[in-house]
Amino acid sequence: MSDEPRDATATAAADADAEVTGGLADRWASFRDREISTVLLTVVGVAVFPFLFNNFLDGYTQLATLMLIYGIFAVGFDILLGYTGLLSFGHAVFFGGAAYAAGIFSASVSTSPLLVLLAGTVFAVLLAWIVGFLSLRRGGIYFAILTLTFGQMSFYLAASPLAFLTNGENGFTSVDIGHLLGVIDIHGGVPFPLTMLVDNMLYVFVAVMTVLSVAMANRILHSPYGTVFRAIRENERRAEFVGLDVWRYKLMAFIISAAFAGIAGSLFAIEGNYVPLQSLYWTESGRIVIMTVLGGVGSLFGPLFGAGLYLYIENIVSGFETLGPFWHLILGVVFVVAVVLFPNGIWGGIDYVRDMVVGGEDE
Amino acid sequence: MTLLADILTILLNGLQQGAIYVLLAVGLSIILGTLKFVNFAHGALYLVGAYLGLFITGQVPLNNGQLAEWGIQSYGIGLGFIAALIIVPIVVFVIGLLMERFIAQAFYDRPDTDQILVTFGLAIIVQEMLRALLGGSSQPFPQPSWASGPIALPVVGNFPRWRLGVIAITAVLVLGVYALVEYTDFGLIVQAGTLDGEMVRLLGIRLSRPYLVVFGIGAALAGVAGVVGGPLANVNPNIGTEQLVPAFLTVVIGGVGKIEGAVVAGLMLGTLQVLLIQTGYAAWSQVGIYALAALVLLVRPQGLLGSEVDVS
């Protein structure tokens, strides 16, 4: 196919590696790099996912919903870890914090799902501003430890001194979610044509948010702003010498990723009508780290995949007779192997195999 | 007089509370300071120390976990506490050496985030292995019989004998490590290596052996902390991760690589916690230590005794 003229609309990125690739890979790259195709892929993915999942993988719709929620969380986390190179061990604060904020908002201000979602996300963003401002005072390992510190602080704050707001160890139980836009019962069923794919409205709502989140992440990462993030990951000092205000970009990356965590956390509160105290504990931060790294840091879909895999193992594999008691152990081993041998996670592996098949095409 | 007694009691309790933080933090700190390696599995070494201590001191009945399902009713060899205090650090020292050789070494040149990730994964493996085999329930770690009960101290009055023991053991170990680092040739090489590894190598000194030993010592301290801290609370698979966070705080507050910094910070955190509990603010006792850490870092990002150079 080498005699085919190159697609004129191919982006510069595709141009650059086109010399080693054939027409197929070339066209794939030009397709892949367009924003609309990323969004379309996501739409198709979330639409058929519950159908396939429920019918072939012993899954159930509630788990599929949860996978998407954690997927949003992981996509945001990857903007920080994979693209900017900052490892936060306190992201549960934004997830759990948003969940609490959303829950409390729904119980005392408005039950509109969209407003609840907005309230939780805004809370996460404001919190991230403060935590990021303090944690980014030092880089590298200190950043991880400091985010961990603030995470634990919020957990213990919610556990007792703020128990009058958060209901302490019992978790926040008074979440009250009304109808979407006043008409759609979010915890109800779906109208006819959709019933072939999913069976409740909640999934549709979360799926729409997932598509929006992926589109947003894609837009950010492919903008000049996202390029700066990558520059910082590659070499912070060099980015500084070029004249970039590295500190401010890092803070923005932190806040952006917290916004995703906030969306996910709010959806989590809406989904379960309940916010467990555990959602602030640092093991929750650890979970999102594992999901993102397993799925593949530095890719858009890897984290979504990792979140799904983690929750699948947690909910389905843990029920198996022989493997069940060891599921967490197995996950730990897989995680360590991934860190040591496959730093780009499962998605990196898929990319690798695809490159072998379609031809060398590397970023 | 009673006010003085109250103050001294709070201080002593704070010393005891902080002692475990100090033991863990000194190990973390020397590994971080000399090898520039972030060990998120340090809490797991504490956990191993506690379970190993339990195994050596007595017979522990098992009622859940895989071992129980496989028909094993109890585990333990019943050699007593002194034996545990001697054997555990040796075993955990060896575990530390293995960790350095087979895991840490491969990660010295990789980004710190990778170091954190791999040790975090290791911690999960250790914790979940213990949970799967021995069950997740808490097991009491009995105090050694010779150290149970109170002892009458001047001014303070009655004070639990074991708590005093914890303070004493910590003091001896930390002083030992301090002396080793400050006053021996070994310590000199390690310190020089920390400052300028390249130069030390040019002088013909191989640094890999001293670094290996530093890792082992750090690990052994975590193991001892497990044995010493075990009887203060029950032993369950979560204690490792629970202790890791305050231990890290202690390191960061004190200043990385500074043994005396870890001691000061550990005692500060311990005393603050005890103070909050005894003055009726128990709910704030956990929040307090994190707030203190945040405060110190705002004022002195390099830690109380850390040097400016460390700030990265």
Side-chain angles (χ1 to χ4, degrees), chain B residues 196-205:
Chain B
D196 192 344
E198 197 70 21
M199 183 58 77
V200 175
R201 282 193 196 90
L202 282 176
L203 289 171
I205 298 165

Side-chain angles (χ1 to χ4, degrees), chain A residues 87 89 134 137-138 140-142 145-146 149 152-153 156 160-161 282 286 289-290 326 328-329 335-336 339-340, chain B residues 38 66 110 112-113 116-117 120-121 124-125 241 248-249 256 283-284 286 290-291 297-298 301-302 310-311:
Chain A
L87 174 54
F89 251 97
L134 297 173
R137 289 172 67 85
R138 299 199 64 180
I141 54 163
Y142 299 98
I145 297 166
L146 283 176
T149 302
Q152 284 304 87
M153 192 157 112
Y156 287 112
S160 53
W282 81 282
V289 172
I290 297 176
F326 298 101
H328 214 142
L329 177 60
F335 177 73
V336 169
V339 173
V340 175
Chain B
V38 201
Q66 284 297 314
R110 287 174 63 168
D112 354 298
T113 48
I116 298 176
L117 290 177
F120 174 62
I124 293 176
I125 293 177
T241 48
F248 258 122
L249 286 192
V256 169
W284 291 89
Q286 286 291 336
Y290 295 102
L297 282 155
L298 277 176
Q302 71 275 34
D310 279 347
V311 182

Side-chain angles (χ1 to χ4, degrees), chain A residues 83-95:
Chain A
Y83 288 91
T84 320
L86 290 170
L87 174 54
S88 159
F89 251 97
H91 250 50
V93 187
F94 309 120
F95 181 77

Side-chain angles (χ1 to χ4, degrees), chain B residues 60-130:
Chain B
V60 187
L62 284 174
N63 45 27
N64 56 11
Q66 284 297 314
L67 283 187
E69 280 179 24
W70 292 335
I72 298 169
Q73 268 107 42
S74 69
Y75 81 109
I77 47 178
L79 288 180
F81 201 83
I82 297 287
L85 221 43
I86 296 165
I87 299 171
V88 171
I90 296 172
V91 174
V92 183
F93 180 81
V94 175
I95 295 177
L97 300 188
L98 295 174
M99 258 182 84
E100 204 272 347
R101 268 299 106 102
F102 293 108
I103 292 145
Q105 232 175 31
F107 280 82
Y108 287 155
D109 295 329
R110 287 174 63 168
D112 354 298
T113 48
D114 283 5
Q115 300 177 354
I116 298 176
L117 290 177
V118 77
T119 49
F120 174 62
L122 271 182
I124 293 176
I125 293 177
V126 171
Q127 177 179 323
E128 295 307 321
M129 199 132 68
L130 286 169

